Amino acid sequence: MNLTGEFVAFFILSVMAIGGAVFMINFTRVIHMALALAFTFFSIAGIYLLLNAEFVAVIQVLIYTGAVSILMLFGIMLTKHRDEEKGSIAPWHSVLSFIAAGAFFGIVMWIIYRTPIAGEQVDLKQFGVARLGEAVFKQYVIPFELASVLLLVALVGAVILAKKEER
Amino acid sequence: MEQYLLDFDLKVMAPELVIVSAAALLSVMDLFLKETASRKVIAVLSLAAVLAAGVFAVMGFGHPPYQILGDTYRIDSFSLTFKVIILAGTALVLLLSLHLNKEEIETREGEYYYLLLTAVLGGMVMVSSADLITLFVGLELLSLSSYVLVGIRRKDLKSNEAAWKYVVLGGVSSAFILYGMSFVYGLTGSTNLFVIRDRLMQALYSGYDLFVYLALFLMVVGFGFKIATAPFQMWTPDVYQGAMTPVTAFLAVVSKTAAFALVMRIMLIAFLPVFSPQISVGVEKLLMILAALSMIAGNAVALKQTNAKRLMAYSSIAQAGYILVPLSTLGFVLFPSLAYYLLAYLFMTLGAFAVLDVVTREGKNEELHVFAGLHQRSPWLAFAMSVFLISLAGLPVTAGFFGKFYLIINAIGREQHWLAGVMILTTVVSYYYYFGIIRQMYFRSPASLRPIPVPWTAGLVIVVGVIGTIGLGLLPDTVLQSLGKIDWGSGFDLAKNAVRQ
């Protein structure tokens, strides 16, 4: 394996992403968890950038690292955040979940490595943001409009579930 | 040639356009109404919108299939039939909701109705598209609206718990579906179901078969959650119990029908290559296992339920198992028998929920013993409930009997005798709990002899339910023949104006 800059960057970013995820599970304070999660999100944005998906990377930073993390921090600040997490209900429960998740991971990895998807080199300029916008507003305009109804529903739902009762 | 949205005949989208404009207008109208004013007018207008959409959908029959922008929207006999079933179910649910008073929905009356409309919009999109992105957005629109509808009673602890469970498990199932879809897209490079079918065929025979199975498996897990089949049914009883009864009826009938149409469309177009009998882990076997497990688990657990809504939830899990039988066996009368059963299911389930609603509301209790002595209190109500229960159990002269009979024909025709056996056995088991309610109504003495007040809207739903259940049972051949005349194949073929990439 030749050591290119890309490989080094990928290595660092994935260690950061996995590390953030592991810390997020192991921390006991909620605020630390939220920060660890933000760290993971940010590293994943870096991986997208390595894959030449600039748009997705920017969106990842904006939505996940920015909006979602801030929202979580707000949520934590506005609620009781001093509670330390209690241990899980039964010890065998976490063991079982670990085995199930591990087995699933193993199977997916095995399938991916057994038949690597062969792809030819393509001109990356074809896949710019302009093409993406064109696809969204031409071919996929119906789901795009539906997504706006979806956002409306989410907004209305959030308001009626969170609104304080007057009177 | 590149095509734009305005190049197409948008009249075919009339049902969706009616519903989406009604939802938008009613939400604005809700803002202008006084806080204390009744929102009945919104309810009536929503009902009118649903009926208008239904009329447009019926008018669409008889035209050749038509697609817009690479099948992101398509209209054909398959989608129209399902759309009519969905809209009919919603109209009955709206009727059933009309007598809900302000306190019950905690002054969120207006929102309740237009969220119901957006949920229906999602359902309608799910049945009339052959593109993974549109299908998924429709699914999420339906799910998201349902989450809010389930949790709309904020002061009710059960409702909160139900909404919470529904959001978490619904989110997990969506993630599974999306993960499966991402593998499909990675393999085929397309979101159009027809293109996916052709390329999956190539992938299957050029060494990528494991990816195909992985995608299939992930999607079946997700769909299993959405149509509430075992072993992914654990959310159903809690959600059905916690939601208001009309919402429960909506989830049991409309959501399930829409999700089922989506599963059929994806499995019978995109995954058709995996359906062939030479393949050891094909769609058929997976779905058959799901069907058998749901029938067994649903009926077995229902035996020891004492809460009426939980009992109906387990019954609906079992019904999902029955409904899966024709699809999993790819029977000879797949579509007519399925449409017949879904119609029967619509009438009997909505009727049963309507009776359940008025009885539990009067008794302020959801345990089975609220039905005690119903025969002496309101004989007609007891009679209607008996009709629905007999139909759900699948005994003769009701729609449920012929429905189940046609479903079994599919299994026997394909020589899947074990599946037919499981279906017959579990049906016999189900008699016990359905007749438990009938026993309560006729052979137990009531706590009081006061007749149960039935609001005329709920009464109308019950009457429609009884007429539908018995009518379908008296004329099964006529109905089945007219359902057989529908051009079902058009739902799974390229539309006339399709452009191949």
mmCIF file of all heavy atoms in Angstrom, chain B residues 9-16 53 56-68 71-81 83 124 127-130 265 487 490-497:
data_model
loop_
_atom_site.group_PDB
_atom_site.id
_atom_site.type_symbol
_atom_site.label_atom_id
_atom_site.label_comp_id
_atom_site.label_asym_id
_atom_site.label_seq_id
_atom_site.Cartn_x
_atom_site.Cartn_y
_atom_site.Cartn_z
ATOM 1 N N ASP B 9 -49.263 16.093 -18.728
ATOM 2 C CA ASP B 9 -50.664 16.369 -18.446
ATOM 3 C C ASP B 9 -50.872 16.246 -16.938
ATOM 4 O O ASP B 9 -50.914 15.143 -16.399
ATOM 5 C CB ASP B 9 -51.520 15.344 -19.201
ATOM 6 C CG ASP B 9 -52.980 15.549 -18.909
ATOM 7 O OD1 ASP B 9 -53.314 16.624 -18.375
ATOM 8 O OD2 ASP B 9 -53.770 14.646 -19.218
ATOM 9 N N LEU B 10 -50.961 17.383 -16.267
ATOM 10 C CA LEU B 10 -50.998 17.343 -14.805
ATOM 11 C C LEU B 10 -52.378 17.026 -14.254
ATOM 12 O O LEU B 10 -52.543 16.907 -13.049
ATOM 13 C CB LEU B 10 -50.494 18.670 -14.228
ATOM 14 C CG LEU B 10 -49.025 18.950 -14.518
ATOM 15 C CD1 LEU B 10 -48.587 20.232 -13.871
ATOM 16 C CD2 LEU B 10 -48.140 17.819 -14.033
ATOM 17 N N LYS B 11 -53.355 16.894 -15.172
ATOM 18 C CA LYS B 11 -54.710 16.567 -14.697
ATOM 19 C C LYS B 11 -54.734 15.219 -13.969
ATOM 20 O O LYS B 11 -55.548 15.003 -13.088
ATOM 21 C CB LYS B 11 -55.679 16.515 -15.883
ATOM 22 C CG LYS B 11 -56.174 17.881 -16.302
ATOM 23 C CD LYS B 11 -57.498 17.805 -17.027
ATOM 24 C CE LYS B 11 -57.398 17.176 -18.399
ATOM 25 N NZ LYS B 11 -56.768 18.030 -19.414
ATOM 26 N N VAL B 12 -53.812 14.318 -14.339
ATOM 27 C CA VAL B 12 -53.827 13.001 -13.708
ATOM 28 C C VAL B 12 -53.499 13.097 -12.219
ATOM 29 O O VAL B 12 -53.791 12.199 -11.458
ATOM 30 C CB VAL B 12 -52.837 12.023 -14.382
ATOM 31 C CG1 VAL B 12 -53.236 11.769 -15.809
ATOM 32 C CG2 VAL B 12 -51.435 12.543 -14.290
ATOM 33 N N MET B 13 -52.870 14.202 -11.820
ATOM 34 C CA MET B 13 -52.517 14.342 -10.405
ATOM 35 C C MET B 13 -53.646 14.961 -9.591
ATOM 36 O O MET B 13 -53.440 15.316 -8.426
ATOM 37 C CB MET B 13 -51.270 15.214 -10.259
ATOM 38 C CG MET B 13 -50.011 14.573 -10.747
ATOM 39 S SD MET B 13 -48.619 15.651 -10.517
ATOM 40 C CE MET B 13 -48.203 15.317 -8.838
ATOM 41 N N ALA B 14 -54.825 15.105 -10.193
ATOM 42 C CA ALA B 14 -55.911 15.828 -9.530
ATOM 43 C C ALA B 14 -56.175 15.385 -8.085
ATOM 44 O O ALA B 14 -56.289 16.244 -7.210
ATOM 45 C CB ALA B 14 -57.182 15.728 -10.365
ATOM 46 N N PRO B 15 -56.258 14.072 -7.791
ATOM 47 C CA PRO B 15 -56.546 13.713 -6.393
ATOM 48 C C PRO B 15 -55.521 14.273 -5.412
ATOM 49 O O PRO B 15 -55.888 14.845 -4.386
ATOM 50 C CB PRO B 15 -56.496 12.179 -6.411
ATOM 51 C CG PRO B 15 -56.731 11.788 -7.803
ATOM 52 C CD PRO B 15 -56.178 12.884 -8.646
ATOM 53 N N GLU B 16 -54.237 14.146 -5.769
ATOM 54 C CA GLU B 16 -53.198 14.654 -4.870
ATOM 55 C C GLU B 16 -53.286 16.172 -4.747
ATOM 56 O O GLU B 16 -53.131 16.723 -3.660
ATOM 57 C CB GLU B 16 -51.805 14.275 -5.382
ATOM 58 C CG GLU B 16 -51.384 12.871 -5.075
ATOM 59 C CD GLU B 16 -51.936 11.881 -6.077
ATOM 60 O OE1 GLU B 16 -52.641 12.312 -7.020
ATOM 61 O OE2 GLU B 16 -51.697 10.676 -5.905
ATOM 62 N N ALA B 53 -61.394 14.145 -3.972
ATOM 63 C CA ALA B 53 -60.225 13.407 -4.470
ATOM 64 C C ALA B 53 -60.633 12.003 -4.891
ATOM 65 O O ALA B 53 -60.159 11.486 -5.909
ATOM 66 C CB ALA B 53 -59.148 13.357 -3.386
ATOM 67 N N PHE B 56 -62.257 12.154 -8.285
ATOM 68 C CA PHE B 56 -61.234 12.291 -9.328
ATOM 69 C C PHE B 56 -60.516 10.960 -9.572
ATOM 70 O O PHE B 56 -60.219 10.597 -10.709
ATOM 71 C CB PHE B 56 -60.212 13.364 -8.941
ATOM 72 C CG PHE B 56 -60.677 14.753 -9.245
ATOM 73 C CD1 PHE B 56 -60.815 15.687 -8.230
ATOM 74 C CD2 PHE B 56 -60.973 15.128 -10.545
ATOM 75 C CE1 PHE B 56 -61.245 16.969 -8.501
ATOM 76 C CE2 PHE B 56 -61.405 16.410 -10.830
ATOM 77 C CZ PHE B 56 -61.546 17.331 -9.798
ATOM 78 N N ALA B 57 -60.232 10.249 -8.460
ATOM 79 C CA ALA B 57 -59.526 8.973 -8.605
ATOM 80 C C ALA B 57 -60.387 7.977 -9.376
ATOM 81 O O ALA B 57 -59.892 7.264 -10.258
ATOM 82 C CB ALA B 57 -59.161 8.416 -7.229
ATOM 83 N N VAL B 58 -61.692 7.935 -9.074
ATOM 84 C CA VAL B 58 -62.565 6.999 -9.782
ATOM 85 C C VAL B 58 -62.648 7.371 -11.253
ATOM 86 O O VAL B 58 -62.651 6.507 -12.142
ATOM 87 C CB VAL B 58 -63.963 6.984 -9.130
ATOM 88 C CG1 VAL B 58 -64.943 6.205 -9.987
ATOM 89 C CG2 VAL B 58 -63.888 6.380 -7.740
ATOM 90 N N MET B 59 -62.681 8.707 -11.533
ATOM 91 C CA MET B 59 -62.759 9.143 -12.923
ATOM 92 C C MET B 59 -61.518 8.769 -13.722
ATOM 93 O O MET B 59 -61.552 8.700 -14.956
ATOM 94 C CB MET B 59 -62.962 10.658 -12.994
ATOM 95 C CG MET B 59 -64.439 11.045 -12.949
ATOM 96 S SD MET B 59 -64.698 12.766 -12.494
ATOM 97 C CE MET B 59 -63.494 13.624 -13.461
ATOM 98 N N GLY B 60 -60.414 8.532 -13.000
ATOM 99 C CA GLY B 60 -59.171 8.205 -13.692
ATOM 100 C C GLY B 60 -59.139 6.805 -14.290
ATOM 101 O O GLY B 60 -58.286 6.504 -15.131
ATOM 102 N N PHE B 61 -60.059 5.932 -13.847
ATOM 103 C CA PHE B 61 -60.048 4.565 -14.352
ATOM 104 C C PHE B 61 -60.300 4.531 -15.857
ATOM 105 O O PHE B 61 -61.013 5.378 -16.405
ATOM 106 C CB PHE B 61 -61.137 3.736 -13.660
ATOM 107 C CG PHE B 61 -60.707 3.170 -12.356
ATOM 108 C CD1 PHE B 61 -61.204 3.698 -11.169
ATOM 109 C CD2 PHE B 61 -59.798 2.140 -12.303
ATOM 110 C CE1 PHE B 61 -60.797 3.179 -9.959
ATOM 111 C CE2 PHE B 61 -59.400 1.610 -11.087
ATOM 112 C CZ PHE B 61 -59.899 2.140 -9.925
ATOM 113 N N GLY B 62 -59.739 3.551 -16.515
ATOM 114 C CA GLY B 62 -60.018 3.363 -17.930
ATOM 115 C C GLY B 62 -59.041 4.059 -18.850
ATOM 116 O O GLY B 62 -59.061 3.827 -20.049
ATOM 117 N N HIS B 63 -58.201 4.912 -18.302
ATOM 118 C CA HIS B 63 -57.191 5.541 -19.146
ATOM 119 C C HIS B 63 -55.930 4.683 -19.145
ATOM 120 O O HIS B 63 -55.684 3.956 -18.191
ATOM 121 C CB HIS B 63 -56.873 6.944 -18.634
ATOM 122 C CG HIS B 63 -58.043 7.872 -18.710
ATOM 123 N ND1 HIS B 63 -58.565 8.300 -19.904
ATOM 124 C CD2 HIS B 63 -58.805 8.428 -17.741
ATOM 125 C CE1 HIS B 63 -59.599 9.080 -19.664
ATOM 126 N NE2 HIS B 63 -59.779 9.171 -18.363
ATOM 127 N N PRO B 64 -55.138 4.756 -20.194
ATOM 128 C CA PRO B 64 -53.885 3.990 -20.182
ATOM 129 C C PRO B 64 -52.954 4.537 -19.111
ATOM 130 O O PRO B 64 -53.069 5.695 -18.720
ATOM 131 C CB PRO B 64 -53.316 4.219 -21.586
ATOM 132 C CG PRO B 64 -53.971 5.449 -22.072
ATOM 133 C CD PRO B 64 -55.318 5.491 -21.445
ATOM 134 N N PRO B 65 -52.037 3.700 -18.603
ATOM 135 C CA PRO B 65 -51.108 4.177 -17.575
ATOM 136 C C PRO B 65 -50.296 5.374 -18.077
ATOM 137 O O PRO B 65 -49.953 5.455 -19.254
ATOM 138 C CB PRO B 65 -50.217 2.973 -17.299
ATOM 139 C CG PRO B 65 -50.486 2.008 -18.381
ATOM 140 C CD PRO B 65 -51.847 2.282 -18.885
ATOM 141 N N TYR B 66 -50.009 6.282 -17.180
ATOM 142 C CA TYR B 66 -49.347 7.526 -17.564
ATOM 143 C C TYR B 66 -48.290 7.823 -16.512
ATOM 144 O O TYR B 66 -48.532 7.657 -15.322
ATOM 145 C CB TYR B 66 -50.395 8.637 -17.590
ATOM 146 C CG TYR B 66 -49.920 9.938 -18.181
ATOM 147 C CD1 TYR B 66 -49.823 10.088 -19.554
ATOM 148 C CD2 TYR B 66 -49.575 11.011 -17.354
ATOM 149 C CE1 TYR B 66 -49.380 11.276 -20.093
ATOM 150 C CE2 TYR B 66 -49.139 12.192 -17.893
ATOM 151 C CZ TYR B 66 -49.043 12.326 -19.264
ATOM 152 O OH TYR B 66 -48.602 13.509 -19.797
ATOM 153 N N GLN B 67 -47.113 8.240 -16.964
ATOM 154 C CA GLN B 67 -46.073 8.563 -15.992
ATOM 155 C C GLN B 67 -45.580 9.989 -16.179
ATOM 156 O O GLN B 67 -45.667 10.536 -17.268
ATOM 157 C CB GLN B 67 -44.925 7.561 -16.081
ATOM 158 C CG GLN B 67 -44.194 7.514 -17.410
ATOM 159 C CD GLN B 67 -43.118 8.558 -17.521
ATOM 160 O OE1 GLN B 67 -42.523 8.934 -16.523
ATOM 161 N NE2 GLN B 67 -42.866 9.039 -18.741
ATOM 162 N N ILE B 68 -45.090 10.565 -15.094
ATOM 163 C CA ILE B 68 -44.552 11.925 -15.161
ATOM 164 C C ILE B 68 -43.093 11.884 -14.711
ATOM 165 O O ILE B 68 -42.785 11.298 -13.665
ATOM 166 C CB ILE B 68 -45.364 12.868 -14.257
ATOM 167 C CG1 ILE B 68 -46.784 13.011 -14.803
ATOM 168 C CG2 ILE B 68 -44.700 14.230 -14.158
ATOM 169 C CD1 ILE B 68 -47.674 13.880 -13.967
ATOM 170 N N ASP B 71 -41.283 8.256 -14.158
ATOM 171 C CA ASP B 71 -42.006 7.454 -13.171
ATOM 172 C C ASP B 71 -41.928 8.003 -11.757
ATOM 173 O O ASP B 71 -42.247 7.296 -10.811
ATOM 174 C CB ASP B 71 -41.515 5.998 -13.161
ATOM 175 C CG ASP B 71 -42.087 5.216 -14.321
ATOM 176 O OD1 ASP B 71 -43.299 5.312 -14.541
ATOM 177 O OD2 ASP B 71 -41.319 4.523 -15.002
ATOM 178 N N THR B 72 -41.492 9.265 -11.570
ATOM 179 C CA THR B 72 -41.552 9.764 -10.190
ATOM 180 C C THR B 72 -43.012 9.903 -9.777
ATOM 181 O O THR B 72 -43.321 9.944 -8.603
ATOM 182 C CB THR B 72 -40.842 11.119 -10.019
ATOM 183 O OG1 THR B 72 -41.291 11.998 -11.035
ATOM 184 C CG2 THR B 72 -39.355 10.976 -10.095
ATOM 185 N N TYR B 73 -43.893 10.009 -10.739
ATOM 186 C CA TYR B 73 -45.318 9.899 -10.446
ATOM 187 C C TYR B 73 -45.908 9.069 -11.554
ATOM 188 O O TYR B 73 -45.600 9.287 -12.719
ATOM 189 C CB TYR B 73 -45.977 11.280 -10.401
ATOM 190 C CG TYR B 73 -47.460 11.213 -10.112
ATOM 191 C CD1 TYR B 73 -47.926 11.298 -8.820
ATOM 192 C CD2 TYR B 73 -48.374 11.032 -11.133
ATOM 193 C CE1 TYR B 73 -49.272 11.200 -8.541
ATOM 194 C CE2 TYR B 73 -49.723 10.930 -10.866
ATOM 195 C CZ TYR B 73 -50.165 11.020 -9.563
ATOM 196 O OH TYR B 73 -51.491 10.919 -9.291
ATOM 197 N N ARG B 74 -46.721 8.083 -11.222
ATOM 198 C CA ARG B 74 -47.370 7.350 -12.288
ATOM 199 C C ARG B 74 -48.785 6.989 -11.873
ATOM 200 O O ARG B 74 -49.095 6.824 -10.695
ATOM 201 C CB ARG B 74 -46.598 6.118 -12.713
ATOM 202 C CG ARG B 74 -46.463 5.083 -11.652
ATOM 203 C CD ARG B 74 -45.784 3.845 -12.212
ATOM 204 N NE ARG B 74 -46.682 3.093 -13.051
ATOM 205 C CZ ARG B 74 -46.328 2.512 -14.191
ATOM 206 N NH1 ARG B 74 -45.109 2.622 -14.636
ATOM 207 N NH2 ARG B 74 -47.204 1.826 -14.890
ATOM 208 N N ILE B 75 -49.638 6.903 -12.874
ATOM 209 C CA ILE B 75 -51.030 6.605 -12.599
ATOM 210 C C ILE B 75 -51.383 5.385 -13.429
ATOM 211 O O ILE B 75 -51.059 5.318 -14.611
ATOM 212 C CB ILE B 75 -51.893 7.841 -12.920
ATOM 213 C CG1 ILE B 75 -53.256 7.693 -12.328
ATOM 214 C CG2 ILE B 75 -51.983 8.160 -14.374
ATOM 215 C CD1 ILE B 75 -53.317 8.275 -10.970
ATOM 216 N N ASP B 76 -51.940 4.371 -12.788
ATOM 217 C CA ASP B 76 -52.361 3.175 -13.493
ATOM 218 C C ASP B 76 -53.454 2.522 -12.662
ATOM 219 O O ASP B 76 -53.793 3.012 -11.581
ATOM 220 C CB ASP B 76 -51.181 2.227 -13.702
ATOM 221 C CG ASP B 76 -50.357 2.073 -12.458
ATOM 222 O OD1 ASP B 76 -50.961 1.837 -11.410
ATOM 223 O OD2 ASP B 76 -49.127 2.205 -12.519
ATOM 224 N N SER B 77 -54.024 1.449 -13.142
ATOM 225 C CA SER B 77 -55.168 0.856 -12.447
ATOM 226 C C SER B 77 -54.793 0.409 -11.042
ATOM 227 O O SER B 77 -55.591 0.504 -10.116
ATOM 228 C CB SER B 77 -55.687 -0.338 -13.237
ATOM 229 O OG SER B 77 -56.002 0.073 -14.527
ATOM 230 N N PHE B 78 -53.567 -0.081 -10.890
ATOM 231 C CA PHE B 78 -53.114 -0.518 -9.564
ATOM 232 C C PHE B 78 -53.158 0.636 -8.573
ATOM 233 O O PHE B 78 -53.766 0.549 -7.506
ATOM 234 C CB PHE B 78 -51.694 -1.073 -9.696
ATOM 235 C CG PHE B 78 -51.051 -1.463 -8.400
ATOM 236 C CD1 PHE B 78 -51.317 -2.684 -7.829
ATOM 237 C CD2 PHE B 78 -50.168 -0.609 -7.771
ATOM 238 C CE1 PHE B 78 -50.712 -3.045 -6.631
ATOM 239 C CE2 PHE B 78 -49.562 -0.966 -6.580
ATOM 240 C CZ PHE B 78 -49.837 -2.190 -6.019
ATOM 241 N N SER B 79 -52.527 1.773 -8.973
ATOM 242 C CA SER B 79 -52.486 2.886 -8.027
ATOM 243 C C SER B 79 -53.875 3.458 -7.799
ATOM 244 O O SER B 79 -54.207 3.844 -6.681
ATOM 245 C CB SER B 79 -51.515 3.959 -8.501
ATOM 246 O OG SER B 79 -51.791 4.341 -9.802
ATOM 247 N N LEU B 80 -54.708 3.480 -8.851
ATOM 248 C CA LEU B 80 -56.048 4.049 -8.678
ATOM 249 C C LEU B 80 -56.880 3.217 -7.706
ATOM 250 O O LEU B 80 -57.555 3.761 -6.833
ATOM 251 C CB LEU B 80 -56.752 4.130 -10.030
ATOM 252 C CG LEU B 80 -56.295 5.297 -10.903
ATOM 253 C CD1 LEU B 80 -56.888 5.186 -12.280
ATOM 254 C CD2 LEU B 80 -56.679 6.613 -10.268
ATOM 255 N N THR B 81 -56.809 1.889 -7.836
ATOM 256 C CA THR B 81 -57.591 1.038 -6.935
ATOM 257 C C THR B 81 -57.172 1.270 -5.490
ATOM 258 O O THR B 81 -58.010 1.451 -4.605
ATOM 259 C CB THR B 81 -57.375 -0.441 -7.295
ATOM 260 O OG1 THR B 81 -57.470 -0.568 -8.702
ATOM 261 C CG2 THR B 81 -58.387 -1.320 -6.636
ATOM 262 N N LYS B 83 -55.703 3.836 -4.319
ATOM 263 C CA LYS B 83 -56.029 5.202 -3.921
ATOM 264 C C LYS B 83 -57.478 5.274 -3.480
ATOM 265 O O LYS B 83 -57.801 5.932 -2.486
ATOM 266 C CB LYS B 83 -55.784 6.128 -5.120
ATOM 267 C CG LYS B 83 -55.126 7.419 -4.733
ATOM 268 C CD LYS B 83 -54.792 8.225 -5.954
ATOM 269 C CE LYS B 83 -53.382 7.948 -6.408
ATOM 270 N NZ LYS B 83 -52.985 8.806 -7.525
ATOM 271 N N MET B 124 -51.179 8.365 -0.641
ATOM 272 C CA MET B 124 -51.516 8.360 -2.060
ATOM 273 C C MET B 124 -50.265 8.388 -2.924
ATOM 274 O O MET B 124 -50.214 7.775 -3.994
ATOM 275 C CB MET B 124 -52.405 9.560 -2.387
ATOM 276 C CG MET B 124 -53.828 9.360 -1.949
ATOM 277 S SD MET B 124 -54.688 10.901 -1.742
ATOM 278 C CE MET B 124 -54.924 11.383 -3.401
ATOM 279 N N VAL B 127 -48.677 4.968 -3.272
ATOM 280 C CA VAL B 127 -49.254 3.994 -4.184
ATOM 281 C C VAL B 127 -49.099 4.406 -5.643
ATOM 282 O O VAL B 127 -49.372 3.609 -6.524
ATOM 283 C CB VAL B 127 -50.748 3.715 -3.891
ATOM 284 C CG1 VAL B 127 -50.922 3.278 -2.460
ATOM 285 C CG2 VAL B 127 -51.611 4.911 -4.183
ATOM 286 N N SER B 128 -48.703 5.658 -5.908
ATOM 287 C CA SER B 128 -48.655 6.036 -7.316
ATOM 288 C C SER B 128 -47.288 6.586 -7.701
ATOM 289 O O SER B 128 -47.180 7.730 -8.123
ATOM 290 C CB SER B 128 -49.756 7.034 -7.651
ATOM 291 O OG SER B 128 -49.684 8.117 -6.795
ATOM 292 N N SER B 129 -46.284 5.763 -7.533
ATOM 293 C CA SER B 129 -44.967 6.157 -7.986
ATOM 294 C C SER B 129 -44.154 4.899 -8.253
ATOM 295 O O SER B 129 -44.420 3.859 -7.668
ATOM 296 C CB SER B 129 -44.271 7.014 -6.934
ATOM 297 O OG SER B 129 -42.937 7.211 -7.322
ATOM 298 N N ALA B 130 -43.208 5.010 -9.144
ATOM 299 C CA ALA B 130 -42.313 3.880 -9.370
ATOM 300 C C ALA B 130 -40.890 4.385 -9.297
ATOM 301 O O ALA B 130 -40.038 4.043 -10.100
ATOM 302 C CB ALA B 130 -42.600 3.212 -10.710
ATOM 303 N N ARG B 265 -45.311 -2.880 -4.946
ATOM 304 C CA ARG B 265 -44.713 -2.220 -6.105
ATOM 305 C C ARG B 265 -43.210 -2.481 -6.141
ATOM 306 O O ARG B 265 -42.653 -2.840 -7.174
ATOM 307 C CB ARG B 265 -45.006 -0.729 -6.022
ATOM 308 C CG ARG B 265 -44.593 0.027 -7.210
ATOM 309 C CD ARG B 265 -45.653 0.085 -8.263
ATOM 310 N NE ARG B 265 -46.621 1.122 -7.991
ATOM 311 C CZ ARG B 265 -47.499 1.535 -8.883
ATOM 312 N NH1 ARG B 265 -47.538 1.009 -10.077
ATOM 313 N NH2 ARG B 265 -48.357 2.459 -8.576
ATOM 314 N N ASP B 487 -57.210 -3.718 -14.960
ATOM 315 C CA ASP B 487 -55.971 -4.066 -15.644
ATOM 316 C C ASP B 487 -54.806 -3.952 -14.666
ATOM 317 O O ASP B 487 -54.096 -2.957 -14.626
ATOM 318 C CB ASP B 487 -55.795 -3.108 -16.832
ATOM 319 C CG ASP B 487 -54.531 -3.415 -17.587
ATOM 320 O OD1 ASP B 487 -53.984 -4.520 -17.396
ATOM 321 O OD2 ASP B 487 -54.086 -2.550 -18.351
ATOM 322 N N SER B 490 -51.007 -3.281 -15.619
ATOM 323 C CA SER B 490 -50.542 -1.949 -15.995
ATOM 324 C C SER B 490 -49.718 -1.318 -14.879
ATOM 325 O O SER B 490 -48.919 -0.427 -15.133
ATOM 326 C CB SER B 490 -51.734 -1.060 -16.331
ATOM 327 O OG SER B 490 -52.495 -0.844 -15.162
ATOM 328 N N GLY B 491 -49.912 -1.770 -13.641
ATOM 329 C CA GLY B 491 -49.138 -1.195 -12.547
ATOM 330 C C GLY B 491 -47.689 -1.621 -12.573
ATOM 331 O O GLY B 491 -46.850 -1.039 -11.897
ATOM 332 N N PHE B 492 -47.392 -2.648 -13.347
ATOM 333 C CA PHE B 492 -46.047 -3.211 -13.295
ATOM 334 C C PHE B 492 -45.372 -3.221 -14.662
ATOM 335 O O PHE B 492 -44.378 -3.873 -14.865
ATOM 336 C CB PHE B 492 -46.115 -4.615 -12.688
ATOM 337 C CG PHE B 492 -46.778 -4.589 -11.350
ATOM 338 C CD1 PHE B 492 -48.147 -4.771 -11.228
ATOM 339 C CD2 PHE B 492 -46.047 -4.297 -10.219
ATOM 340 C CE1 PHE B 492 -48.761 -4.689 -9.989
ATOM 341 C CE2 PHE B 492 -46.659 -4.205 -8.986
ATOM 342 C CZ PHE B 492 -48.012 -4.401 -8.878
ATOM 343 N N ASP B 493 -45.984 -2.485 -15.582
ATOM 344 C CA ASP B 493 -45.390 -2.348 -16.910
ATOM 345 C C ASP B 493 -45.023 -0.894 -17.154
ATOM 346 O O ASP B 493 -45.521 -0.004 -16.480
ATOM 347 C CB ASP B 493 -46.408 -2.779 -17.971
ATOM 348 C CG ASP B 493 -46.351 -4.270 -18.180
ATOM 349 O OD1 ASP B 493 -45.254 -4.824 -18.030
ATOM 350 O OD2 ASP B 493 -47.404 -4.854 -18.472
ATOM 351 N N LEU B 494 -44.191 -0.705 -18.157
ATOM 352 C CA LEU B 494 -43.834 0.671 -18.498
ATOM 353 C C LEU B 494 -45.064 1.408 -18.999
ATOM 354 O O LEU B 494 -45.925 0.831 -19.665
ATOM 355 C CB LEU B 494 -42.772 0.658 -19.587
ATOM 356 C CG LEU B 494 -41.379 0.299 -19.106
ATOM 357 C CD1 LEU B 494 -40.462 0.162 -20.281
ATOM 358 C CD2 LEU B 494 -40.869 1.359 -18.161
ATOM 359 N N ALA B 495 -45.146 2.683 -18.657
ATOM 360 C CA ALA B 495 -46.277 3.476 -19.127
ATOM 361 C C ALA B 495 -46.103 3.764 -20.615
ATOM 362 O O ALA B 495 -45.015 3.620 -21.169
ATOM 363 C CB ALA B 495 -46.361 4.770 -18.340
ATOM 364 N N LYS B 496 -47.213 4.154 -21.266
ATOM 365 C CA LYS B 496 -47.183 4.413 -22.707
ATOM 366 C C LYS B 496 -46.189 5.515 -23.069
ATOM 367 O O LYS B 496 -45.526 5.465 -24.092
ATOM 368 C CB LYS B 496 -48.575 4.844 -23.182
ATOM 369 C CG LYS B 496 -49.573 3.720 -23.253
ATOM 370 C CD LYS B 496 -49.447 2.966 -24.564
ATOM 371 C CE LYS B 496 -50.382 1.783 -24.640
ATOM 372 N NZ LYS B 496 -50.487 0.962 -23.435
ATOM 373 N N ASN B 497 -46.119 6.515 -22.208
ATOM 374 C CA ASN B 497 -45.259 7.654 -22.550
ATOM 375 C C ASN B 497 -43.885 7.560 -21.890
ATOM 376 O O ASN B 497 -43.215 8.546 -21.693
ATOM 377 C CB ASN B 497 -45.940 8.958 -22.149
ATOM 378 C CG ASN B 497 -46.174 9.031 -20.650
ATOM 379 O OD1 ASN B 497 -46.174 8.011 -19.989
ATOM 380 N ND2 ASN B 497 -46.348 10.230 -20.125
#
